[in-house]
Structures are given as structure tokens and as C-alpha cells.
Amino acid sequence: MSRFRYNRQVAVPTSSEEERPAKHFNSPSIRRFRYDPFAKPASPRTPSAPNHIPPKAATSYPSSSSNQTSHILHAHSVKHEPTVPKLEPRLELNAKPKLESDANTLRPSVPASERLSAWKTPFALESDVELLSSLPHNLSSSLKDNLVKALAPSTRGAYGAGIRRFTDFCDEHNISEEARMPASKYLLASFISEQAGSCSASCIKNWMSGLKAWHEINSAPWNGEDRLVQLSRSLAAKNGTSFSRPKRPPITRDQLTALRGRLNIREGKDAAFWALATTAFWGCRRLGELTIPKTDGFDKKLHVQKTAVSFTHGSSARSPSISFDIPWTKTTKEKGGKVVLTARDDDLCPVTALLNHILVNHKVPPDVPLFSYMDNSQSRSIPPVKTKFLEFCNSNVLPHQKKILGHSFRIGGSVELLLAGVPPEVVASIGGWTSSAFLLYWRKLEDIIPLHVSQAYDRQKLAASIDSFRSRINPLPTSARQLPSRSATFS
């Protein structure tokens, strides 16, 4: 039998029988209810209250004791089925809230360069808690920031793209948040295998480097060096050859001469970009070391300023030269590098080009990028953005000449110096290579030298120079089989 009790004007089941189904008011069990005729009427419940009953289901009773009997008989005669309220689920006292996996918690909407530190996993959150328990908040926060800032901004952006790819892969296959870090060798191998045939090997390499850095920053074990993962990467490299970019041809002296003939170096932009082109060519430098990635991307810790230039007058035994320090390079990081440009007696002289740029753009402030120039109104300076510089160069080359790419200047300059008889040790020093790295770099150039050197005599002379250099820096492997694979990246 069901037991009901009346609390003022609302009929609710007793706590001992909350789960039993409700019965009609005309059931014999209705005789066993408790009624308090002196109780004050209950205040109306709000619609949000869990036990609220609409007014139609409630029955009003007189409060006078003289009418108690008639009221009870009236209750027996009314055939109403009360609305039984839905019971709220009882929460466990020790239950832990589940981590939300949407973009607002673990993966906020931030630029790709910030995902290394902003995107989290349960493991990363636990690592942060452990770090905070070991160090004061200011030290732990500074440590995290410095770990991320150790990477160049462009590198952080590329790594963030890899983290996004991996996260999308895990979402698509319903991989739990806990399994994403540390990622098992099986998960990493599956991620690579699914991408095989859809992108190049270098693309997957960048993604994996991003995942590795993400793990390292969050103190998570990295299983990417496992043999199973390496086999997956080999498969992806074979299937992704069709997605590889064409080999970057060097810029030639003819292209550089043609570019000079189409410029008016008395104008600010032409003067700045011509100086930049000759510096990158004869200095064998990466464009990223001389330009900035975007208009507001200048950083004094990474990019060379106008004040860094130092000019040395020539003598009877020495040509005039210009030198300046680069605060950051791809290989030496914060150790930076040094650019030394020597004067030449032709129109391609880098010293003359740089001095002309400084003269024409003399209104440029001293604390801006070196190759900045004044706009047409001479009211503001414009920094040398890498993409804008390449667009400028390609818009001024002859129609039959190959497109100029970012690495074309570094390749073309190193080959031109070697053909001119400059010892390979000197060329390696000019471009910032170590001896072994330069040999590996030369291995990469073997496929593109025919694009630059037309005469067989010159190619033989070039090969002889490199062979002589190789023999002088022994012990180094001499046979092609002993040299490291061309897949090794040196740029």
C-alpha cells in the first residue's frame, strides 16, 4: 500500500516510498493520511521549484475544525490524479567533476603560435599543478613562458598547426583526452599513417616536432622515437613525394643584374630592397634573418636594427667592408651571427648598395629594421616584410627567368662564391655553416647545380673544390653511402 501525507495543500509521497507509483485519491489508502486543519496556507511555489504542482492539481481545504468531517468526505468524492513531481538526481558527495573538452576549456581559441602553452590535456593540467606546488607562482609562470619563447615565432606557429592536426585526428576517432598526452606509440603511428599520402614528409616532420615540443613543455614522456613510429614516418615519406615542393633554384648573377637594371635606387623602396637582395646574395643569408614576417612583427631580440651596421674603410691590402651582427639565427639561436660584406668593382657590389640605402633612407629612425624605407610622403618608415620583398623581386625579373624564392639568394650566393674560387671554408663561414653542415648542404645542392652552372668545366671545378675541402676536414665520410641521408635538413 502507498502511504501519503498532506503537508498543507500539497500531496507528496513520504520519503520511504518515493520510488513507488502514485495512486488515485479514491484508493482505500487515502483514509490513512494526516491532516492539520490549523496549518497556515503555504506560500505559492515558484515554477522553478522541483515539487511545484499546478493549481489545478491542488485541493484547497477549509481551516476551521467544524468543517473537518465534511472536508474529508469531499476529499473521498473527488477523483483527481495528482501530478507527482520529478525527483532530482542525487549527487554523490565525493563525485569529481568531469573535465570539459570543448574549445572554451582545454583548447581555447588562440593563434597557432600560442597553442603550445594554451592548449591543455588532463596530463598538462596535472603537470601545471605539480609545477605550482614546487615553485612560487611568479617563478612557475616565468618558466613556462621562457620555455615557449625559446622557439622562434614562426616555429611556434608551425608547431601549433601540428597540434591542431593531431587534435582534429583524435576528435574524429573519439580518442579520450587522457590518451592524448602522453601519446602512445600506437596513437602516434596511427596519426602518421592516416596522413600518409595526403602531405609531404617535411610537413609530417613539422607536425611531429610540434607534438614533441608540446609534450616537452608539459613534462610528458615522448614516444615518437619508437621504431613503430619511425616506420610509419618512412611510409609517409614514400607516399608523400608527390606533395613535395619543387627544388628551389638559386638566383643567378644574370637575374640579379636584370633586377638592378629595372630599379631606380634613388627611391626609398628600390634602394632598400636592392641593398637587401645583394646582402642576402653575397652574405649567403636566410631572408628570415634580414626581414620580418609581418608589418608589426619586429622584435629587437630577433631582427637586426639600423644601428647595428659598422663600416670599415679599405686599404691597399684590404677592400672596404660592412659588417653587422644578427641577434638570432635558425641554427645558433640567441648566439646570433655576423654578416660581413666585401666591396666589389661591379654593379652588384653589396657595400655600395647598402651605403646608398642608408643615404637615400636617412630619415628612417635608428631603432627600426635595417632595411626599412620611407614611404612616398617621407612621413613614416615601412619595415622590410619578407613576402613583400619577394613579390617586389618577382615583379621585376624578366619573363623567361625562374621565380625567385626565399632560399634562392642563399643558394645562389654560396655557389657563386665557390665558382669564383673562394675556399669552401670561407664560404661556410660567410653563410654561418659549420664544416660538416656545409658538406651536407652541398649534398643537397648537387641536384640543383646544373640549373646554375652551364659549363661542364665549371661543374668539375666546383666538385674538385668541394672534394679538396672534404679531405682537409677529415675525419669525415668520403663516400656517398657513408654521408648522412639527404633527408637531413640543413638550411
Side-chain angles (χ1 to χ4, degrees):
M1 297 179 64
S2 162
R3 179 176 297 176
F4 285 76
R5 60 178 172 79
Y6 273 99
N7 183 7
R8 299 192 263 291
Q9 296 183 2
V10 180
V12 297
T14 59
S15 60
S16 62
E17 297 179 64
E18 288 177 350
E19 301 300 327
R20 297 186 180 182
K23 293 190 177 183
H24 295 284
F25 268 45
N26 59 356
S27 170
S29 62
I30 199 66
R31 300 187 184 94
R32 301 183 61 184
F33 70 94
R34 292 187 303 166
Y35 173 73
D36 185 4
F38 300 101
K40 293 182 179 180
S43 58
R45 295 179 183 266
T46 61
S48 61
N51 290 333
H52 172 68
I53 297 178
K56 293 183 180 180
T59 306
S60 62
Y61 297 100
S63 58
S64 121
S65 58
S66 62
N67 295 331
Q68 179 176 352
T69 305
S70 61
H71 181 71
I72 295 175
L73 293 176
H74 176 71
H76 279 288
S77 63
V78 178
K79 296 182 179 181
H80 283 288
E81 185 174 355
T83 303
V84 179
K86 295 181 179 180
L87 299 177
E88 295 293 332
R90 181 174 296 175
L91 296 176
E92 297 293 337
L93 296 179
N94 297 326
K96 295 182 180 179
K98 293 183 178 180
L99 290 171
E100 297 179 10
S101 59
D102 58 356
N104 294 325
T105 54
L106 294 181
R107 292 181 289 278
S109 179
V110 295
S113 59
E114 298 179 15
R115 290 174 190 156
L116 276 170
S117 57
W119 281 23
K120 299 294 183 180
T121 63
F123 185 95
L125 295 178
E126 293 177 2
S127 176
D128 289 345
V129 172
E130 181 181 356
L131 181 61
L132 286 172
S133 65
S134 304
L135 296 173
H137 182 270
N138 60 331
L139 292 181
S140 60
S141 178
S142 174
L143 176 60
K144 279 281 188 179
D145 291 342
N146 290 335
L147 289 176
V148 175
K149 291 179 180 178
L151 302 171
S154 58
T155 303
R156 296 199 296 266
Y159 284 3
I163 298 172
R164 175 62 181 269
R165 284 281 185 169
F166 178 73
T167 300
D168 291 345
F169 166 79
C170 292
D171 289 343
E172 181 180 354
H173 295 280
N174 298 319
I175 305 299
S176 67
E177 297 290 343
E178 291 76 8
R180 302 183 186 193
M181 181 185 288
S184 68
K185 60 183 179 181
Y186 304 109
L187 180 59
L188 294 174
S190 299
F191 169 64
I192 296 172
S193 298
E194 182 161 299
Q195 310 302 325
S198 63
C199 57
S200 65
S202 61
C203 181
I204 292 180
K205 178 184 177 181
N206 288 334
W207 292 349
M208 294 299 291
S209 297
L211 290 178
K212 181 180 180 181
W214 192 38
H215 277 64
E216 291 175 342
I217 289 175
N218 291 286
S219 303
W222 175 244
N223 298 310
E225 308 302 331
D226 187 86
R227 179 61 177 166
L228 181 64
V229 180
Q230 297 303 316
L231 289 174
S232 298
R233 294 182 66 166
S234 298
L235 174 64
K238 293 177 181 178
N239 294 342
T241 53
S242 60
F243 295 91
S244 299
R245 292 182 299 179
K247 291 181 174 61
R248 294 166 287 186
I251 185 173
T252 64
R253 282 182 59 118
D254 292 342
Q255 283 180 294
L256 210 57
T257 302
L259 177 63
R260 170 64 181 86
R262 298 170 70 92
L263 301 182
N264 180 7
I265 59 174
R266 294 182 179 180
E267 296 182 357
K269 184 177 182 179
D270 288 16
F273 282 174
W274 173 243
L276 174 55
T278 55
T279 300
F281 185 83
W282 295 113
C284 304
R285 308 310 304 190
R286 305 175 185 89
L287 278 187
E289 297 169 351
L290 305 175
T291 61
I292 61 176
K294 53 185 180 180
T295 304
D296 58 348
F298 175 60
D299 188 342
K300 295 179 180 179
K301 297 179 181 178
L302 303 175
H303 306 118
V304 60
Q305 300 180 67
K306 182 180 178 181
T307 54
V309 175
S310 174
F311 176 75
T312 302
H313 290 281
S315 63
S316 58
R318 182 177 179 180
S319 300
S321 64
I322 284 181
S323 63
F324 56 87
D325 293 327
I326 299 176
W328 178 280
T329 71
K330 183 178 179 180
T331 54
T332 63
K333 309 299 181 185
E334 67 278 354
K335 293 181 180 180
K338 193 175 190 66
V339 176
V340 179
L341 304 173
T342 304
R344 299 172 56 86
D345 56 358
D346 56 20
D347 290 340
L348 305 183
C349 176
V351 173
T352 301
L354 189 52
L355 291 177
N356 175 74
H357 157 59
I358 294 175
L359 178 63
V360 172
N361 293 293
H362 64 278
K363 292 184 178 181
V364 172
D367 57 346
V368 298
L370 172 58
F371 297 100
S372 299
Y373 56 92
M374 299 301 296
D375 63 0
N376 293 333
S377 64
Q378 298 291 307
S379 59
R380 67 184 182 93
S381 63
I382 302 175
V385 179
K386 179 179 177 179
T387 54
K388 299 295 184 182
F389 170 70
L390 289 176
E391 290 174 2
F392 175 85
C393 291
N394 284 300
S395 65
N396 286 285
V397 298
L398 299 177
H400 67 279
Q401 294 177 330
K402 294 183 179 296
K403 182 179 181 180
I404 299 174
L405 302 175
H407 219 59
S408 298
F409 292 92
R410 182 169 170 84
I411 300 172
S414 60
V415 173
E416 189 64 39
L417 290 174
L418 289 171
L419 288 174
V422 178
E425 296 94 333
V426 177
V427 177
S429 177
I430 291 173
W433 291 286
T434 62
S435 298
S436 58
F438 184 71
L439 280 181
L440 292 173
Y441 187 76
W442 176 254
R443 288 283 319 278
K444 294 173 62 180
L445 293 181
E446 288 177 356
D447 292 334
I448 61 174
I449 290 303
L451 299 173
H452 186 62
V453 182
S454 57
Q455 298 180 5
Y457 172 78
D458 289 338
R459 291 199 297 269
Q460 293 173 1
K461 177 181 177 182
L462 204 56
S465 176
I466 294 297
D467 288 340
S468 175
F469 172 60
R470 182 182 291 117
S471 64
R472 288 195 300 271
I473 61 172
N474 279 335
L476 277 178
T478 55
S479 67
R481 291 185 179 182
Q482 290 176 301
L483 283 171
S485 169
R486 293 192 186 190
S487 61
T489 302
F490 289 88
S491 58

